[in-house]
Amino acid sequence: MVDKNIFDADRETAWCPGCGNFPLRKSLAEALAGLDITPDRVAMFTGIGQAAKMPHYIRVNGFNGLHGRALPPALGFRMVNPELKVIVESGDGDTYGEGGNHILHNIRRNPDIAHFVHDNQIYGLTKGQASPTTGEEIKTEVQPYGITAAPFNPIKFAVAMGASFVARAFVGNQDHLIEMMQAAIEHEGYALVDILQPCVTFNKVNTYQWYKERSYLLDDDYDPTDYKAAVEKAEEWGDDIPLGIIYRNDARKPFRSKFDWLSDSFVKDYKEPAEYDDLMQEFA
Amino acid sequence: MDINIVVAGEAGQGLKTVDQIIGKSLHRLGFSVFSSKNYMSRIRGGHNFMQIRFGDEKVAGPVEEIDILIALNEDGVDIHQDSVKDDGVILFDGDKDLDYMQVPAKEMAKEVNPKAVNTVFLGYAWKLLGLPLDALKDVIKEKFGEGDIYDDNVKLLDAAYEKVDTTFDCELPDGDVKGLYINGNQAIAFGAATAGVQFYAAYPMTPSTSILNYLASRQDKLGIAVEQAEDEIAAINMAIGASFGGARAMTGTSGGGFSLMAEGLGLAGIMETPLVIAEVQRPGPATGLPTRTEQGDLSFVINASQGEFPLKVIAPRDQEDAFYQTFRAFNIADKYQLPVIILSDAYLADAGATIPEFKLDELKIDRNLVDENEWPEDKEYKRYELTEDGISPRAYPGQLEGEVVLLDSDEHDENGFIIEDGETRVKMVDKRNAKFEKMKREDNEEPLYIGPDKPDYMLVSFGSTYGALKEAMDRLNGNGHSIGMLSFSDIWPLPTAELEKQRSYDTKLVVVEGNSTGQLASLIQAETGLTVDHRILKYDGRPFNVDGLVRELEEEVIS
């Protein structure tokens, strides 16, 4: 098995002490090591935000791109490289706010990408404004009278869109988080894992304690392939927050398989210009 | 011999098909052909027209006067009749109180195939020109295949051919027909295919869409991936991701879409990721004139995105140049690991022309990736390793066993890690600027200069104005003037040596460009300190034409 320490980037982080990103990073290294995946076989795509700094703090191939734009480059990469594991890490603002259009269309495409959303229900890096998932009970400097728009429910959204894998995890339960990460990485298609991850500095409501008191693991009887049950389960929030695979549909084919002419050793497979004579004759 | 045919009608009447068939048939007969399109932003109705000009000598731009007007509706007659030459012919099926040739197209087609009305017009025009029908029939067969449609068309062509007498003297050119009939967007798309593009993502936007269409419809044959992105932001980011993966990647759009891509352009710049972008201009700002042409985005593409980073902009001057420059753009993007923009426009995108066959066996792909078999085992891979010329060894993820590749949009160190210290920032900016200086020295083509040494007037232009301007200059020089022309294709960084070389103290600089403010003139003044004496500007959404240029230069510049 791969030693999890191989993922240690040996870098000082910009994260606050006690940040939920620390246990998340630890779980990711363990998840990858547990699957026997080495750093050079992973390509991680991120946007902007504290979560998005992940490729600097864990040793894998990384693409720390633009705010909200982690999914499009991940898709482009996935199309030309079918071999590496592609992981997207992003925050709730990055994914559901700025990147809203991209997640919508990538659920439609179903590319083979594992997407881990660090959902702390607040904008951390810009110091405490509302995110799309911020609860209505919260007031911020920008929303002094309370949240002005209803919170976005990412699980319900992804289930309704027919995403092929939708799960929720909590950094306070690392064993389960690792299990969810591994299932997502191994899923052949787009796998969304919304990870509850407290922001200890700016979100004083949704704390470790708050999630601990409310979250529960789905029991073995729950059938994630039952769409109607998943829609119902996706509604649960507040006093009872389900953790686990809410919905999965393994019948959906991954995006790249629809391009059956694409070779596996893509980058090296190009013709010399002289071989295009037949194409040129279309204009003769 | 120089004949100008205009086919006019409304959208949905099949003008494009007529234009393609005439253009290709004339090309096959050995003529030099130039065809341009003029269409409205609507699916049906409106007024559209195609101009097909051909001759036994090179024709490379549109002219105003018409020899044969094929008017598919009454508007076609009303709008264009004043441009028809005195000895020209108007073909029309209808009742008008003026001099035209009555073509009973609907009546003739009704008995054979009511959908083939335009074929009757074709037969008439072809006989007026005295050209052999076989060439026309062969192209129709290629387009529709053998079968009823082809048979109906042949029947109507033969019948129409009998109805009129030949009135134009079109001697067939001698010798074997070689060469291609291709438009600007096809040339860009085929150039990309030849260069080994492996990933193309775009959001459809006129007039860039036909690049997407070309590559998408041949992607299985080419073994590449083409994706219609959800927006231009996604398109450019997808392409950058594919480029990170080691593939050759490209995106295409027009000015409005490029506005959305500006953020991604800077990303490719700071990430030092090769990327080719086709920006096919149309008049703006915002939605502007969607189906018309302009050269109004020059300043924008050079300056797009925040901050400073090197990029290259190439404005192809014609269809042949569009192909070679697109091929070259990929090599330059890979060599210097930066974005290269092909700055074309609606006019060139749609204009078909006869050009020599591309010399494919003289082209060479240069990927400039590290060789995984030669990478030293004990050497740590650093994506942004500082080197003298600013170019770092480029590897893609998974290429070097045990090594990782890290790209960052934040300022970063040699490993790609985020930094904030001033010293590293300066080093990285200097590194990127060093690449730009190297590119200026090694990969910046001087503009094409045509004309006498140290002319009285130097016509300076960029991109697609080349063809019409050259013909206009030739006409004026034929009248005893001393005029030279300088046509820029590489436009950023601006190559200036040829400009300095060909100009004397007395030479008047006349900049000719398709925008209202003289963006090229401003760029030349900023980069060289030279004063531009005259600006010929056109921004009515229509391309420059030879007649108009001659008139304007004679009236306003050359006294």
Side-chain angles (χ1 to χ4, degrees):
Chain A
M1 199 178 98
V2 169
D3 180 355
K4 65 177 194 249
N5 294 323
I6 200 174
F7 295 100
D8 191 350
D10 193 23
R11 298 255 306 160
E12 201 180 304
T13 76
W15 295 334
C16 308
C19 177
N21 284 328
F22 289 107
L24 204 155
R25 176 178 63 168
K26 187 164 169 277
S27 302
L28 181 63
E30 286 187 25
L32 291 168
L35 291 174
D36 232 6
I37 298 167
T38 51
D40 58 346
R41 308 309 292 169
V42 179
M44 179 181 285
F45 292 80
T46 62
I48 296 299
Q50 291 295 38
K53 291 187 176 134
M54 190 64 95
H56 296 286
Y57 306 146
I58 187 164
R59 190 171 173 273
V60 292
N61 293 294
F63 183 106
N64 182 194
L66 297 167
H67 192 40
R69 318 286 171 225
L71 277 167
L75 180 90
F77 183 89
R78 171 45 83 220
M79 294 305 280
V80 304
N81 185 325
E83 291 172 344
L84 269 58
K85 292 290 181 189
V86 176
I87 295 174
V88 169
E89 299 245 355
S90 57
D92 39 317
D94 204 34
T95 311
Y96 308 129
E98 195 93 26
N101 197 24
H102 307 310
I103 189 171
L104 164 65
H105 292 282
N106 280 287
I107 291 175
R108 289 180 53 226
R109 291 188 182 102
N110 197 36
D112 188 9
I113 291 172
H115 190 173
F116 303 141
V117 181
H118 304 215
D119 190 351
N120 58 17
Q121 298 172 261
I122 205 79
Y123 277 15
L125 191 56
T126 51
K127 306 203 169 169
Q129 302 81 10
S131 95
T133 53
T134 303
E136 284 174 287
E137 64 281 11
I138 292 178
K139 290 179 179 173
T140 80
E141 250 181 294
V142 180
Q143 293 84 18
Y145 310 111
I147 301 306
T148 43
F152 178 77
N153 179 340
I155 302 291
K156 193 176 168 189
F157 162 75
V159 171
M161 284 290 298
S164 61
F165 183 106
V166 187
R168 183 189 280 125
F170 168 43
V171 292
N173 187 341
Q174 285 190 54
D175 288 345
H176 181 257
L177 174 59
I178 292 166
E179 197 189 308
M180 288 300 104
M181 285 176 159
Q182 290 182 332
I185 291 167
E186 293 204 303
H187 174 71
E188 285 185 10
Y190 176 73
L192 174 70
V193 187
D194 192 65
I195 303 168
L196 304 173
Q197 172 253 337
C199 173
V200 294
T201 306
F202 293 109
N203 188 335
K204 303 296 187 198
V205 175
N206 308 111
T207 60
Y208 276 99
Q209 194 58 33
W210 192 90
Y211 288 124
K212 259 196 183 119
E213 284 166 5
R214 289 163 174 78
S215 64
Y216 72 94
L217 296 184
L218 287 168
D219 60 35
D220 293 343
D221 294 347
Y222 180 74
D223 176 8
T225 65
D226 180 342
Y227 179 77
K228 279 188 180 159
V231 171
E232 220 168 275
K233 199 48 80 180
E235 290 271 4
E236 274 187 38
W237 182 262
D239 291 339
D240 297 297
I241 303 172
L243 304 178
I245 301 172
I246 310 285
Y247 181 63
R248 74 181 297 163
N249 176 3
D250 291 326
R252 283 193 69 188
K253 294 263 174 287
F255 189 59
R256 198 176 192 274
S257 70
K258 292 168 187 163
F259 296 71
D260 58 11
W261 53 86
L262 298 184
S263 79
D264 286 348
S265 54
F266 201 61
V267 172
K268 292 170 182 166
D269 278 359
Y270 58 85
K271 294 191 211 170
E272 288 303 319
E275 293 175 59
Y276 287 98
D277 192 66
D278 56 330
L279 263 186
M280 181 167 72
Q281 296 313 318
E282 286 182 26
F283 304 109
Chain B
M1 187 208 106
D2 189 344
I3 305 274
N4 188 31
I5 304 171
V6 166
V7 188
E10 61 182 53
Q13 278 191 314
L15 274 81
K16 203 172 141 196
T17 310
V18 176
D19 172 68
Q20 283 169 349
I21 291 171
I22 297 180
K24 194 137 201 176
S25 303
L26 291 167
H27 159 63
R28 293 272 180 84
L29 288 170
F31 293 106
S32 173
V33 187
F34 184 88
S35 147
S36 61
K37 292 160 191 53
N38 217 299
Y39 56 104
M40 297 179 74
S41 181
R42 37 197 297 187
I43 297 165
R44 301 233 166 248
H47 177 73
N48 294 354
F49 63 98
M50 312 284 167
Q51 301 193 71
I52 308 142
R53 186 182 162 209
F54 70 100
D56 45 7
E57 284 180 38
K58 178 84 183 160
V59 291
V63 289
E64 289 173 355
E65 293 195 317
I66 301 169
D67 294 282
I68 297 178
L69 172 64
I70 299 176
L72 299 178
N73 63 4
E74 203 169 330
D75 275 356
V77 183
D78 294 340
I79 292 168
H80 298 283
Q81 58 171 306
D82 290 344
S83 303
V84 178
K85 290 179 185 168
D86 291 342
D87 56 356
V89 180
I90 300 172
L91 301 176
F92 177 62
D93 182 3
D95 191 17
K96 299 247 346 146
D97 186 19
L98 64 101
D99 192 18
Y100 64 93
M101 184 177 282
Q102 174 72 46
V103 179
K106 282 188 213 75
E107 193 191 311
M108 285 173 70
K110 198 167 70 185
E111 288 163 22
V112 182
N113 181 345
K115 283 185 181 163
V117 171
N118 293 347
T119 306
V120 180
F121 284 102
L122 268 181
Y124 267 73
W126 221 245
K127 183 64 175 294
L128 288 172
L129 296 164
L131 296 171
L133 270 183
D134 287 351
L136 211 50
K137 289 177 185 171
D138 286 347
V139 173
I140 291 172
K141 192 190 283 179
E142 278 170 35
K143 190 154 182 73
F144 298 108
E146 284 181 76
D148 289 348
I149 297 178
Y150 172 69
D151 293 341
D152 293 346
N153 275 288
V154 167
K155 208 181 233 179
L156 286 171
L157 277 179
D158 286 334
Y161 207 73
E162 296 303 313
K163 299 258 184 193
V164 273
D165 295 323
T166 295
T167 55
F168 293 91
D169 183 20
C170 300
E171 205 176 310
L172 287 179
D174 297 332
D176 282 349
V177 180
K178 276 219 134 189
L180 310 170
Y181 180 63
I182 193 168
N183 71 36
N185 273 2
Q186 287 169 333
I188 289 173
F190 181 59
T194 316
V197 70
Q198 290 158 313
F199 184 82
Y200 186 87
Y203 186 85
M205 184 172 185
T206 305
S208 67
T209 311
S210 53
I211 301 172
L212 173 64
N213 293 346
Y214 178 93
L215 291 170
S217 61
R218 287 159 187 78
Q219 57 182 318
D220 49 346
K221 196 173 176 191
L222 293 164
I224 66 172
V226 176
E227 177 60 1
Q228 180 182 324
E230 53 269 33
D231 53 35
E232 287 86 348
I233 296 170
I236 189 167
N237 279 281
M238 282 176 186
I240 295 170
S243 180
F244 174 47
R248 283 200 152 172
M250 180 176 177
T251 182
T253 187
S254 185
F258 189 72
S259 297
L260 295 182
M261 288 187 184
E263 181 196 38
L265 179 76
L267 180 70
I270 194 166
M271 279 190 163
E272 303 195 45
T273 303
L275 178 69
V276 175
I277 307 164
E279 209 273 58
V280 189
Q281 301 165 94
R282 71 191 212 188
T287 313
L289 290 171
T291 63
R292 306 293 170 178
T293 198
E294 198 168 274
Q295 294 181 304
D297 298 348
L298 175 64
S299 307
F300 175 49
V301 297
I302 289 171
N303 297 296
S305 206
Q306 71 273 28
E308 300 168 308
F309 60 95
L311 79 160
K312 185 168 186 68
V313 181
I314 305 172
R317 56 176 72 93
D318 58 22
Q319 294 76 2
E320 192 179 2
D321 198 37
F323 168 79
Y324 287 110
Q325 294 293 15
T326 305
F327 186 92
R328 178 171 164 257
F330 279 93
N331 277 351
I332 290 175
D334 272 356
K335 179 174 174 185
Y336 297 97
Q337 303 168 18
L338 44 66
V340 180
I341 298 167
I342 310 284
L343 185 65
S344 183
D345 54 46
Y347 162 68
L348 179 57
D350 290 329
T354 45
I355 57 166
E357 278 204 349
F358 301 127
K359 294 175 183 141
L360 300 180
D361 48 5
E362 290 177 15
L363 298 172
K364 220 176 139 338
I365 289 173
D366 180 13
R367 293 301 326 268
N368 198 39
L369 288 160
V370 303
D371 184 338
E372 58 270 27
N373 302 313
E374 285 178 13
W375 188 258
E377 223 171 274
D378 54 349
K379 188 175 171 179
E380 184 195 4
Y381 178 76
K382 294 175 176 176
R383 176 65 194 91
Y384 302 109
E385 189 181 313
L386 293 169
T387 59
E388 208 156 294
D389 61 6
I391 299 173
S392 310
R394 178 169 167 243
Y396 53 85
Q399 191 188 5
L400 302 175
E401 209 186 317
E403 299 289 341
V404 295
V405 184
L406 179 60
L407 305 190
D408 198 8
S409 70
D410 282 82
E411 193 56 275
H412 42 253
D413 63 14
E414 287 185 279
N415 283 305
F417 288 126
I418 292 180
I419 58 94
E420 293 199 35
D421 69 286
E423 202 186 327
T424 313
R425 162 68 176 177
V426 169
K427 275 185 190 160
M428 282 297 152
V429 171
D430 289 348
K431 167 189 152 55
R432 294 191 289 267
N433 288 346
K435 298 193 300 184
F436 193 59
E437 293 306 316
K438 182 181 167 77
M439 182 173 71
K440 274 190 195 169
R441 289 192 303 272
E442 295 178 17
D443 288 280
N444 211 21
E445 282 176 5
E446 286 293 326
L448 186 65
Y449 180 77
I450 305 167
D453 283 346
K454 317 278 181 201
D456 295 341
Y457 298 92
M458 188 192 285
L459 309 176
V460 188
S461 67
F462 75 101
S464 71
T465 51
Y466 167 72
L469 198 56
K470 167 143 192 324
E471 272 196 58
M473 181 189 76
D474 288 344
R475 266 197 222 172
L476 291 167
N477 279 343
N479 296 339
H481 297 291
S482 163
I483 305 173
M485 72 175 282
L486 194 64
S487 161
F488 284 90
S489 191
D490 279 16
I491 189 79
W492 183 256
L494 187 78
T496 55
E498 195 68 20
L499 174 62
E500 300 281 2
K501 188 177 129 196
Q502 295 294 351
R503 152 195 97 83
S504 75
Y505 182 76
D506 297 329
T507 300
K508 297 258 185 288
L509 290 185
V510 184
V511 169
V512 181
E513 54 187 311
N515 57 57
S516 72
T517 53
Q519 297 179 21
L520 174 63
S522 303
L523 185 64
I524 286 170
Q525 291 184 169
E527 293 291 307
T528 65
L530 294 172
T531 303
V532 169
D533 301 285
H534 294 276
R535 295 168 191 221
I536 303 279
L537 306 173
K538 191 165 167 66
Y539 44 93
D540 57 0
R542 275 70 182 164
F544 283 104
N545 67 67
V546 182
D547 304 320
L549 273 168
V550 167
R551 196 166 52 236
E552 199 163 350
L553 285 165
E554 269 178 340
E555 284 170 10
E556 291 181 23
V557 180
I558 304 155
S559 40

